[in-house]
Amino acid sequence: MRGGWERVRGTTVTLGGEQQGNGSRRGALSTAPSQTIRLGRVQPQAPGHRTVYCNDREANLPVKFKGNSISTTKYNLFTFLPKGLFEQFRRVANLYFLMISILSTTPISPVSPITNVVPLSLVLLVSLVKEAFEDWKRMQNDRVINNTQVEVLLDERWESIPWRSLQVGDIVKVKQDGFFPADLLFLASTNPDGVCYVETSNLDGETNLKIRKALERTWDYILPGKAAEFKGEIECEQPNNSLYTFTGNLIIQKQTLPLSPNQILLRGCSLRNTEFIVGAVIFTGHETKVMMNSMNVPSKRSTLERKLDKLILALFGVLFCMCLIGAIGSGIFINKKYFFLNLYGNVVNQFDPGNRFVVGILTMFTLLTLYSTIIPISLYVSIEMIKFIQSTQFINKDLHMYHAESNTSALARTSNLNEELGQVEYIFSDKTGTLTRNLMEFFKCSIGGVMYGNGITETERGQAQRNGIKLSEDMKSNSHFQEKGFNFDDPRILRGAWRNENNLDIFKEFFRCLAICHTVLPEGDESPEKIVYQAASPDEAALVTAAKNFGFFFYRRTPTLIKVRESHVERMGKIDDVSYEILNVLEFNSTRKRQSVICRYPNGRLVLYCKGADTVIYERLADSNTDIRKITREHLEQFGSSGLRTLCLAYRDLSPEMYENWNEKFIQAKSSLRDREKKLDEVAELIEKKLILIGCTAIEDKLQEGVPACIETLARAGIKIWVLTGDKLETAINIAYACNLINNQMKQFIISSETDEIREVEDRGDQVEIAGFTRDFVKEQIDKCLEEAESFTNLVVAPKRALIIDGKCLMYALDPVLRGKLLRLSLNCDAVVCCRVSPLQKAQVTSLVKKGAKKITLSIGDGANDVSMIQAAHVGVGISGLEGMQAVMAADFAIAQFRFLTDLLLVHGRWSYLRLCKVIMYFFYKNFTFTLTQFWFTFQTGFSGQRFYDDWFQSLYNVIFTALPVIFVGLFDKDVSTALSKKYPELYKEGMRNIFFKWRVVAVWGFFSIYQSLIFYYFTASASRMGHNSSGKIFGLWDVSTMAFSCVVVTVNIRLLLTCNSITRWHYLSVGGSILAWFVFIFVYSGVMTPWDRQENIYFVIYVLMSTFYFYLTLLLVPVVALLGDFAYLGLQRWFAPYDYQIIQEMHRHEPEPTSRTELLEIGNHLTPEEARSYAISRLPRENSRHTGFAFDSPGYESFFALQQGVLAPQKAWDVVRRASMKTKSKPPKPPKH
């Protein structure tokens, strides 16, 4: 190992891990210090580089690379308590109670410290236990991962060590189906040509296999003896979170070889279809790309939670006013004339008549501790608990949002935004895979200016139906063949008939372009019937499948060859296996919008095949063949109007000299360590020009089931839907028609750059002129459309409006000068369609409405290009579709189909909003009521701060005596059933208007708090002056306060039942249990006295009270009188100013919830047995009586309901409890004997 030390001698180690030696190569890499950029959990130095010595641990030792052990925990043994408490005290309410608890330990406090310390401790304990449990689960998972075994090359043999012991530079061996323990440089494989197959589902959710190819120079390092000879140096970028890029060079035996992402195997991916591979460790532990992407989704707070903060601040204001009144009153009241107070001589400052200002100040602090209960300490914990159960038990297990075909249920990835789902006003949706199925079928094409394909699309049928035209059934020809990805019918070119067409060469170029220009991997038997194509997108798989059905069967790929079985090329019936050498692949990305492949024919011909969006292909065409260009453009427009996705195909013949010159530049760009992607794009531009147009393809992506009905329902709910798509204008408009987003009765404002004037300017090629002209054009169009749109607002019956704008115009419309007008125009429209937009523009449009209009937004998408849009909205929803799971991983909620938005928003969202509003209002009411009784007592104690209630009463009021019932309301209360929520989507508008959490509602609850507190105090205190116990003594302070507290507990719990729309047994049990808990506590507490107990005055109080008739009369009458006002108000409000849901309740109060057994029988005949069972379970009734709350909507009871319907479903343990709690049905009477 001595040679390794000699190599690093004389180097300087920087903090970023970069080595700067004295040699020329090291000097070339040295960079000036740069700003530290935070990415994930580490802070890499950008744009520095690192040098890794392979198979030489001692050489890497001075650099001190990070180890491979990972930790995803938030805390450790030493930081748990301080860090956990810091997290808890970031909440204003907890910090407030900490301050109150400290004040309660001072002499000025009238209450024992236990009064505030106990509830605060309970709240903190619950929160810390929850945090500890979650962190412990993370630690267990980390331990399993860190102890996984991997084979490492040590002393020329493979030895198993745990992942945590792996070091940068180690040579590892990973077997088939194993996971890569770190980010590796792929050296060698058991597969021929140094390839391996990788599944990246843990990174991006994509299950299709990716091909990785080792450098030819390292193919031999497969056996341990040979691998031990490998002593290369890797110079590469510092750790970063970019999954799809890598910049570096491998220096081996003084030869520098460029490295690309194709040679990198990322941690978390797994090896497939390969016996084993050998690789060198580059990044370890928290510096691996997957760990640097493990940042949490941006933290989002719901609008309701932010409004709750305002309510808490208002309560702080009320508390200050109450304390100020008491302080002023105390300063006025203190006087020596009250001789019985003994205010002579040495008097404490708080009661010194000679310094009234100090008296007022100290009294204010005293009252602050006394009135501290006005802020509900358990509110946040209760809300968190309610939201968590709503998410995990109701949303995640709702069978109405279960997709049987993909076996996917809904998933709430966060519980913070449940109620936000009930207030959404704008939905931003992707098109492909979100509104459509993302199941692509090759449907039509245009070759050499001739259109082929006879089918009728769903969109065309929808257009005909809107226009009142009845289309005949689509008759298929004898040559028609359909399989997954191919639904094409035209006898002119199927089964080799294309040989009878004119210009055979262009057909060959078309089919070869489909068969060669792609990155698809074939799997399985090399036969057309059994082969399976693994593609990065459904489009690519459809195009290769089309080539196969046209007679150009792609069946094998190596890193340098593509093999195609060509039929009917020379003559009908002849089949040839042709190998095309793949020289270069210029990959597709969202900027280039095209993909190119340079290949060499067996006869030596060099050809570049290119496919991509029509806009980018047309810009790069040669000047010849203007007729085909014009005709093909017309075909593209026809395909777009039919709702089809189009791609243009082109090619270019290359001379060997031209290719060699270009390839040198390409290799230079590929070897660059700086801006490699940018340089590769620039080099690609040099050869992707002077293309010859072959034709275009048209692929159909059908709408998902139930999309039109879902959009219509959401529109009735008042939600405005915007579609943001990368498709062309015509396609986007027709899809919008097909899914009922746009109709012929709408006034349409179209702002498109596809006009003759703009094309004329573009043809001149002056970029400055193009930009200026387009900006002026967009401004003029927006002004014109805005004026017309605002003119409709004055009409009594105004037509609905829709805005359609393309990406090029949107780029200028989002300029700060025009942004405001664009927003005004958009908000005046009922639907907006943005086409040809980039991922960044999607996020910009979402942010425009979110920040500019201050409306609650929801973004929904299924692909990686939708992530920025999903994270920009208030609520992000991911579709778990065919484009991987990146959208889901970035989203707040995940569903399988767009139509499930109806249940997610109109049912769960609306219920969550309604429930949480009631929970918050009720917390405000019960705490305000309780505190006000103490406030009224202060007026009769000379504002001295004398407590009215025992300390333990005050401590346990929130955490035991009134805690459980409100949680059940937050879980089970529902105003109308699921079916009625979807039947009357207009109910959703109540959440949009936030009518249940307005200051008016707070004022009503506050008014009744004041009213009830006066009843509690004066009915018990004033009336008890004439009362006496069985021994003839009048009631004292503790008798009255215990009686008043009993009335408060009974009243506030019964008041909760008046609030409920549906009452279950859980409501009765919790309310009864809370009241019973109070009496059990007071019986025990007043029957025991210890020497250190401060509350000797409460001893035996309840026994004395219960021996008097007065106590029972008070306990009966006071709650009745206190609740009389609430009862009258609720009745009058329901009669004269009912909410919308109350009207629906009255309309359907005698109607049982409909079952769907008939519907099940009708649909069941068309399903497989497994699908029928899944469907049957999904259609089970969710409510069997009007007394059943949402508790029994939980799918946990599916087996119980299934039994009633005769459907087989697995038994659950809790069903036993459910059945045991059911009343036995009465038996029918026996017939009389004759």
Side-chain angles (χ1 to χ4, degrees):
M1 304 293 271
R2 185 179 174 186
W5 281 107
E6 289 175 351
R7 279 185 295 183
V8 296
R9 194 170 292 155
T11 62
T12 302
V13 182
T14 66
L15 287 175
E18 177 190 343
Q19 294 180 339
Q20 297 175 344
N22 299 324
S24 59
R25 180 172 53 80
R26 299 280 205 282
L29 283 175
S30 63
T31 58
S34 60
Q35 183 184 1
T36 298
I37 300 172
R38 177 134 183 105
L39 292 170
R41 300 178 181 273
V42 299
Q43 294 183 347
Q45 297 298 319
H49 304 88
R50 65 161 54 183
T51 299
V52 176
Y53 298 103
C54 300
N55 206 12
D56 195 343
R57 285 192 171 187
E58 291 184 2
N60 292 318
L61 195 61
V63 188
K64 297 182 180 178
F65 292 119
K66 284 186 178 290
N68 200 42
S69 177
I70 64 158
S71 173
T72 58
T73 58
K74 290 172 64 176
Y75 313 102
N76 59 39
L77 193 62
F78 301 104
T79 64
F80 173 71
L81 209 55
K83 193 173 178 181
L85 289 174
F86 172 75
E87 289 291 329
Q88 295 304 315
F89 287 123
R90 288 174 63 185
R91 288 179 171 169
V92 177
N94 287 348
L95 195 61
Y96 161 76
F97 272 96
L98 177 64
M99 181 186 71
I100 295 299
S101 298
I102 294 171
L103 276 176
S104 64
T105 62
T106 63
I108 64 172
S109 172
V111 297
S112 167
I114 205 167
T115 304
N116 295 296
V117 171
V118 167
L120 177 61
S121 300
L122 285 174
V123 168
L124 293 178
L125 180 65
V126 170
S127 299
L128 290 176
V129 167
K130 171 177 167 285
E131 289 285 321
F133 177 72
E134 290 178 350
D135 221 41
W136 179 78
K137 299 260 289 186
R138 285 190 285 264
M139 185 191 70
Q140 294 291 100
N141 187 48
D142 292 343
R143 188 174 295 170
V144 170
I145 293 172
N146 289 330
N147 289 324
T148 305
Q149 297 293 306
V150 63
E151 293 188 50
V152 178
L153 186 67
L154 295 173
D155 299 327
E156 298 190 9
R157 68 176 184 271
W158 299 116
E159 292 189 9
S160 289
I161 66 170
W163 280 19
R164 67 173 184 273
S165 302
L166 207 59
Q167 296 182 19
V168 172
D170 284 353
I171 305 298
V172 300
K173 173 184 176 182
V174 179
K175 297 179 180 178
Q176 182 168 345
D177 297 327
F179 289 90
F180 302 124
D183 289 351
L184 309 176
L185 169 63
F186 180 25
L187 298 177
S189 162
T190 54
N191 285 342
D193 298 326
V195 299
C196 72
Y197 300 95
V198 174
E199 184 180 293
T200 61
S201 58
N202 282 353
L203 262 63
D204 54 20
E206 296 182 13
T207 55
N208 52 289
L209 301 184
K210 312 290 193 305
I211 191 170
R212 294 291 181 263
K213 177 189 175 185
L215 295 174
E216 191 171 350
R217 182 68 179 76
T218 64
W219 287 359
D220 297 333
Y221 299 112
I222 190 71
L223 298 175
K226 186 69 174 175
E229 300 173 6
F230 179 66
K231 297 291 182 181
E233 296 179 24
I234 302 170
E235 290 182 342
C236 63
E237 62 194 10
Q238 284 287 5
N240 59 69
N241 62 353
S242 176
L243 293 174
Y244 305 107
T245 62
F246 180 80
T247 304
N249 290 325
L250 172 64
I251 302 169
I252 180 170
Q253 296 176 358
K254 297 183 179 180
Q255 183 182 0
T256 301
L257 304 171
L259 300 175
S260 72
N262 282 330
Q263 286 86 48
I264 304 302
L265 306 174
L266 300 181
R267 177 183 177 127
C269 299
S270 55
L271 186 66
R272 295 283 186 263
N273 298 354
T274 308
E275 185 180 345
F276 69 86
I277 63 97
V278 175
V281 178
I282 302 176
F283 302 129
T284 51
H286 288 285
E287 292 186 338
T288 56
K289 290 182 180 288
V290 66
M291 291 304 297
M292 298 192 72
N293 275 275
S294 64
M295 293 186 297
N296 293 326
V297 175
S299 179
K300 298 179 180 179
R301 293 186 69 209
S302 68
T303 307
L304 194 69
E305 195 173 336
R306 287 194 292 270
K307 290 178 180 176
L308 172 59
D309 290 344
K310 295 180 181 178
L311 177 60
I312 296 294
L313 289 175
L315 287 177
F316 276 125
V318 172
L319 174 62
F320 177 78
C321 292
M322 291 168 63
C323 294
L324 185 63
I325 291 170
I328 295 172
S330 176
I332 296 173
F333 179 81
I334 290 294
N335 199 310
K336 290 183 180 180
K337 70 179 181 180
Y338 300 114
F339 63 92
F340 49 84
L341 295 178
N342 195 22
L343 300 177
Y344 301 96
N346 294 324
V347 183
V348 295
N349 291 333
Q350 188 172 356
F351 303 108
D352 184 3
N355 197 340
R356 295 177 185 270
F357 178 76
V358 173
V359 169
I361 295 296
L362 293 177
T363 301
M364 191 161 187
F365 283 108
T366 299
L367 296 178
L368 194 64
T369 60
L370 194 62
Y371 300 154
S372 62
T373 51
I374 194 172
I375 308 295
I377 187 171
S378 58
L379 173 60
Y380 287 105
V381 173
S382 300
I383 288 178
E384 278 189 5
M385 187 185 303
I386 289 167
K387 287 183 177 183
F388 178 75
I389 297 174
Q390 283 176 350
S391 299
T392 56
Q393 299 301 314
F394 300 158
I395 295 179
N396 291 1
K397 295 184 179 180
D398 187 351
L399 288 174
H400 287 80
M401 294 192 290
Y402 170 73
H403 190 231
E405 185 179 335
S406 61
N407 191 29
T408 306
S409 57
L411 174 65
R413 289 174 50 81
T414 176
S415 59
N416 294 338
L417 303 172
N418 296 353
E419 70 278 15
E420 199 88 326
L421 292 171
Q423 297 181 277
V424 173
E425 290 192 53
Y426 286 86
I427 293 178
F428 300 92
S429 173
D430 178 39
K431 183 187 78 68
T432 305
T434 305
L435 299 176
T436 60
R437 300 180 188 178
N438 207 14
L439 294 174
M440 309 300 179
E441 291 182 337
F442 189 93
F443 201 72
K444 292 185 179 184
C445 62
S446 171
I447 307 174
V450 180
M451 187 188 300
Y452 296 96
N454 301 324
I456 300 174
T457 66
E458 283 185 347
T459 305
E460 288 174 320
R461 291 186 182 279
Q463 286 175 337
Q465 187 177 355
R466 286 192 302 273
N467 296 327
I469 301 171
K470 187 174 182 180
L471 294 176
S472 59
E473 277 301 313
D474 198 9
M475 301 299 292
K476 304 295 184 183
S477 67
N478 295 331
S479 61
H480 174 257
F481 176 74
Q482 184 171 356
E483 66 170 298
K484 182 181 178 181
F486 189 76
N487 185 20
F488 181 85
D489 181 31
D490 196 327
R492 291 178 292 172
I493 58 174
L494 284 172
R495 304 184 189 279
W498 55 270
R499 288 193 57 83
N500 300 321
E501 297 291 301
N502 297 325
N503 197 353
L504 294 182
D505 289 338
I506 201 165
F507 278 89
K508 294 176 187 177
E509 299 293 358
F510 184 88
F511 298 144
R512 283 172 179 154
C513 185
L514 294 182
I516 296 172
C517 187
H518 57 77
T519 56
V520 175
L521 293 175
E523 271 191 338
D525 294 343
E526 294 179 355
S527 64
E529 296 79 18
K530 296 183 179 179
I531 199 163
V532 176
Y533 290 127
Q534 294 284 351
S537 69
D539 300 74
E540 278 215 315
L543 294 175
V544 176
T545 303
K548 178 185 74 173
N549 285 287
F550 287 130
F552 288 70
F553 172 39
F554 159 64
Y555 64 91
R556 190 183 305 167
R557 174 190 284 277
T558 72
T560 56
L561 288 177
I562 278 184
K563 295 197 174 185
V564 180
R565 189 166 296 153
E566 299 183 352
S567 306
H568 320 301
V569 176
E570 301 300 328
R571 64 176 186 274
M572 286 295 291
K574 184 180 180 183
I575 300 176
D576 298 311
D577 284 353
V578 184
S579 296
Y580 295 94
E581 183 182 358
I582 304 302
L583 302 175
N584 305 91
V585 176
L586 307 178
E587 295 183 357
F588 175 90
N589 60 45
S590 58
T591 306
R592 284 169 41 77
K593 295 184 180 179
R594 64 190 182 278
Q595 179 187 36
S596 297
V597 167
I598 300 175
C599 65
R600 180 182 281 121
Y601 278 45
N603 61 9
R605 180 191 175 199
L606 286 172
V607 184
L608 177 144
Y609 286 114
C610 184
K611 68 180 181 187
D614 55 291
T615 51
V616 295
I617 297 295
Y618 266 70
E619 290 172 355
R620 289 160 178 80
L621 292 179
D623 294 332
S624 57
N625 289 337
T626 53
D627 291 340
I628 291 182
R629 290 172 60 178
K630 184 177 179 183
I631 295 170
T632 304
R633 187 183 283 276
E634 292 174 0
H635 292 168
L636 284 166
E637 291 175 358
Q638 290 182 41
F639 293 152
S641 63
S642 300
L644 299 173
R645 296 162 60 86
T646 58
L647 278 178
C648 284
L649 309 184
Y651 77 99
R652 180 186 182 187
D653 282 306
L654 305 174
S655 65
E657 298 80 13
M658 179 194 305
Y659 172 72
E660 291 300 331
N661 291 334
W662 175 85
N663 196 40
E664 286 181 12
K665 298 174 184 175
F666 181 75
I667 292 173
Q668 283 181 352
K670 205 172 180 182
S671 304
S672 173
L673 284 175
R674 295 179 183 277
D675 301 326
R676 180 180 293 181
E677 296 297 321
K678 181 181 177 183
K679 291 177 180 177
L680 285 173
D681 288 350
E682 291 172 353
V683 172
E685 290 282 356
L686 299 176
I687 201 165
E688 290 175 328
K689 60 184 181 180
K690 298 182 181 178
L691 302 175
I692 298 173
L693 184 65
I694 307 172
C696 65
T697 61
I699 292 176
E700 182 177 23
D701 184 12
K702 295 184 178 179
L703 282 176
Q704 286 184 14
E705 178 188 348
V707 166
C710 174
I711 287 180
E712 184 179 353
T713 302
L714 294 176
R716 286 174 56 200
I719 299 173
K720 295 182 179 180
I721 300 175
W722 294 25
V723 174
L724 312 177
T725 177
D727 285 333
K728 58 160 48 72
L729 186 73
E730 295 81 5
T731 306
I733 290 175
N734 283 286
I735 290 295
Y737 267 108
C739 60
N740 289 343
L741 186 63
I742 295 177
N743 55 54
N744 289 332
Q745 285 70 46
M746 280 187 169
K747 172 62 181 176
Q748 297 178 18
F749 303 114
I750 299 178
I751 304 176
S752 170
S753 60
E754 296 295 318
T755 64
D756 294 335
E757 295 87 351
I758 293 179
R759 283 202 192 103
E760 186 179 334
V761 176
E762 288 177 341
D763 290 341
R764 292 200 285 269
D766 187 342
Q767 295 301 321
V768 176
E769 183 186 6
I770 293 171
F773 184 86
T774 309
R775 184 183 292 105
D776 294 339
F777 170 81
V778 171
K779 182 179 183 303
E780 180 185 338
Q781 289 295 310
I782 289 179
D783 289 338
K784 178 183 174 184
C785 295
L786 180 61
E787 183 181 353
E788 188 173 354
E790 290 182 338
S791 67
F792 290 123
T793 56
N794 299 323
L795 300 178
V796 178
V797 181
K800 290 190 174 182
R801 300 169 290 283
L803 171 65
I804 299 104
I805 184 169
D806 68 10
K808 191 176 290 185
C809 293
L810 187 62
M811 179 177 66
Y812 295 102
L814 288 171
D815 185 88
V817 178
L818 296 177
R819 192 180 298 163
K821 292 183 178 179
L822 175 66
L823 180 62
R824 284 169 54 198
L825 173 60
S826 303
L827 297 181
N828 271 293
C829 295
D830 299 275
V832 176
V833 177
C834 300
C835 52
R836 295 288 198 195
V837 292
S838 65
L840 177 61
Q841 287 177 320
K842 289 183 179 183
Q844 288 174 332
V845 170
T846 306
S847 298
L848 179 68
V849 177
K850 176 183 176 182
K851 297 176 181 177
K854 305 293 184 185
K855 303 292 185 182
I856 297 179
T857 58
L858 179 148
S859 290
I860 179 169
D862 73 316
N865 61 332
D866 302 316
V867 168
S868 55
M869 173 180 76
I870 285 171
Q871 293 185 340
H874 289 93
V875 183
V877 178
I879 298 281
S880 49
L882 301 180
E883 288 194 16
M885 301 290 286
Q886 285 164 291
V888 168
M889 290 189 289
D892 306 301
F893 299 89
I895 54 178
Q897 297 277 288
F898 183 87
R899 68 178 185 272
F900 295 156
L901 270 184
T902 305
D903 282 275
L904 189 64
L905 298 184
L906 304 190
V907 181
H908 293 287
R910 202 176 66 82
W911 281 351
S912 296
Y913 166 73
L914 189 67
R915 290 164 178 166
L916 285 173
C917 286
K918 285 189 177 181
V919 167
I920 293 169
M921 290 294 107
Y922 178 73
F923 263 99
F924 162 69
Y925 150 77
K926 71 184 180 71
N927 282 63
F928 196 38
T929 303
F930 177 73
T931 307
L932 282 174
T933 56
Q934 176 72 62
F935 181 64
W936 306 133
F937 178 66
T938 304
F939 285 89
Q940 294 197 350
T941 60
F943 306 97
S944 62
Q946 166 66 38
R947 53 193 163 81
F948 183 50
Y949 296 117
D950 179 81
D951 290 350
W952 279 103
F953 296 0
Q954 193 165 327
S955 299
L956 301 180
Y957 176 74
N958 273 311
V959 294
I960 292 182
F961 305 140
T962 60
L964 199 57
V966 69
I967 291 177
F968 283 113
V969 170
L971 293 177
F972 301 140
D973 189 59
K974 61 176 182 180
D975 51 355
V976 295
S977 66
T978 303
L980 292 178
S981 294
K982 293 188 281 190
K983 184 177 180 180
Y984 300 101
E986 293 81 4
L987 290 173
Y988 189 81
K989 295 178 181 178
E990 292 179 325
M992 285 184 186
R993 299 195 299 268
N994 196 28
I995 64 172
F996 298 117
F997 198 39
K998 290 182 177 291
W999 288 112
R1000 179 178 59 83
V1001 179
V1002 175
V1004 170
W1005 282 91
F1007 170 78
F1008 285 109
S1009 289
I1010 296 171
Y1011 163 73
Q1012 290 182 11
S1013 64
L1014 289 168
I1015 297 295
F1016 294 142
Y1017 179 70
Y1018 285 104
F1019 270 48
T1020 55
S1022 301
S1024 62
R1025 291 172 187 166
M1026 303 300 295
H1028 54 82
N1029 61 27
S1030 57
S1031 62
K1033 294 180 180 180
I1034 63 169
F1035 289 127
L1037 167 63
W1038 304 113
D1039 300 297
V1040 175
S1041 67
T1042 303
M1043 198 184 314
F1045 191 82
S1046 299
C1047 293
V1048 170
V1049 170
V1050 170
T1051 305
V1052 297
N1053 277 290
I1054 295 176
R1055 174 65 179 88
L1056 189 66
L1057 296 178
L1058 292 178
T1059 308
C1060 298
N1061 286 300
S1062 58
I1063 300 177
T1064 68
R1065 69 190 62 188
W1066 304 109
H1067 291 79
Y1068 293 127
L1069 288 174
S1070 61
V1071 169
S1074 296
I1075 296 173
L1076 182 63
W1078 152 245
F1079 283 106
V1080 169
F1081 166 78
I1082 192 60
F1083 264 89
V1084 174
Y1085 180 57
S1086 65
V1088 178
M1089 187 176 69
T1090 58
W1092 58 85
D1093 190 355
R1094 181 183 169 188
Q1095 314 304 332
E1096 67 279 357
N1097 290 322
I1098 209 73
Y1099 180 64
F1100 226 64
V1101 162
I1102 191 65
Y1103 301 100
V1104 172
L1105 284 174
M1106 294 187 72
S1107 66
T1108 66
F1109 174 74
Y1110 179 80
F1111 173 75
Y1112 298 102
L1113 185 64
T1114 303
L1115 201 59
L1116 176 65
L1117 291 181
V1118 168
V1120 171
V1121 175
L1123 292 173
L1124 193 60
D1126 297 80
F1127 187 79
Y1129 171 78
L1130 292 173
L1132 291 172
Q1133 178 268 319
R1134 191 177 182 94
W1135 284 342
F1136 298 110
Y1139 292 116
D1140 293 342
Y1141 75 85
Q1142 292 173 332
I1143 297 172
I1144 303 301
Q1145 286 175 341
E1146 294 297 327
M1147 289 168 59
H1148 295 273
R1149 59 181 175 154
H1150 299 302
E1151 298 178 13
E1153 181 140 351
T1155 60
S1156 52
R1157 186 167 179 80
T1158 307
E1159 183 183 359
L1160 169 64
L1161 293 175
E1162 291 175 357
I1163 298 178
N1165 297 328
H1166 306 287
L1167 302 175
T1168 65
E1170 184 61 29
E1171 288 174 336
R1173 178 181 166 279
S1174 296
Y1175 180 79
I1177 292 175
S1178 71
R1179 303 304 297 174
L1180 291 176
R1182 291 162 57 130
E1183 184 176 337
N1184 274 5
S1185 77
R1186 57 182 177 157
H1187 301 295
T1188 302
F1190 189 57
F1192 307 119
D1193 289 345
S1194 169
Y1197 297 94
E1198 65 188 41
S1199 55
F1200 168 78
F1201 289 127
L1203 186 63
Q1204 310 299 316
Q1205 298 291 334
V1207 178
L1208 177 64
Q1211 290 288 317
K1212 300 284 171 45
W1214 47 81
D1215 286 330
V1216 179
V1217 181
R1218 167 67 173 148
R1219 288 197 300 275
S1221 65
M1222 294 287 289
K1223 292 182 179 178
T1224 307
K1225 294 182 179 179
S1226 58
K1227 297 181 180 179
K1230 295 182 179 179
K1233 294 181 180 180
H1234 296 288

